């Protein structure tokens, strides 16, 4: 049923500021933009990261649902520090989960949780698929 990650959507009250912030973080500009929405293609599999004007956000539940999308990074400490230096705030510090799995998360300047992870399984799949 679930075949793979397709699009992650974040919301921002200031869509242009969010576009600029993520452009700086990713080192690329959005490849697609329409009123109320911008989208980036990210990483080895060109996953979609969409930023949506917060006026389109669904109602927020009383308590968080608990989901955090973890983006694989090769240098977790360096990536975490870069996010903090760009104005993100720590949500969860770098945490060793054993066997090479390390996670951390921040809250971006627009209120979204952004998870990062050093994930050996991601690298195994990448090697099988791409030969890299």
């Amino acid at each position: 049923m679930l075949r793979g990650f397709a699009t992650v959507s974040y919301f921002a009250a200031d869509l242009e500021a969010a576009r600029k912030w993520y452009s700086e973080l990713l080192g690329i500009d959005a490849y697609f933009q329409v009123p109320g929405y911008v989208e980036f293609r990210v990483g080895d599999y060109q996953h979609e990261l969409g930023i949506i004007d917060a006026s389109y956000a669904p109602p927020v539940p009383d308590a968080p649902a608990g989901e955090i999308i973890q983006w694989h990074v090769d240098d977790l400490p360096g990536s975490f520090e870069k996010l903090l230096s760009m104005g993100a705030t720590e949500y969860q510090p770098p945490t060793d989960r054993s066997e090479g799995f390390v996670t951390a998360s921040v809250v971006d300047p627009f209120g979204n949780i952004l998870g990062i992870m050093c994930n050996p399984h991601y690298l195994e799949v990448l090697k099988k698929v791409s030969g890299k």
Side-chain angles (χ1 to χ4, degrees), residues 37 75 87 90 112:
Y37 182 76
D75 175 12
E90 182 179 300
N112 301 290

Side-chain angles (χ1 to χ4, degrees), residues 32-101:
F32 181 75
Q33 186 166 349
V34 295
Y37 182 76
V38 297
E39 188 171 280
F40 299 86
R41 293 281 183 166
V42 180
D44 301 302
Y45 298 104
Q46 296 293 284
H47 294 303
E48 296 173 2
L49 170 59
I51 312 292
I52 304 170
D53 186 293
S55 65
Y56 296 107
V60 178
D62 292 336
E67 73 281 349
I68 298 175
I69 299 293
Q70 301 284 352
W71 294 85
H72 173 79
V73 296
D74 292 325
D75 175 12
L76 191 127
S79 298
F80 188 69
E81 288 304 315
K82 178 177 181 173
L83 287 162
L84 296 178
S85 75
M86 292 179 63
T89 57
E90 182 179 300
Y91 186 74
Q92 180 186 41
T95 304
D96 186 342
R97 305 290 182 183
S98 81
E99 299 184 29
F101 294 90

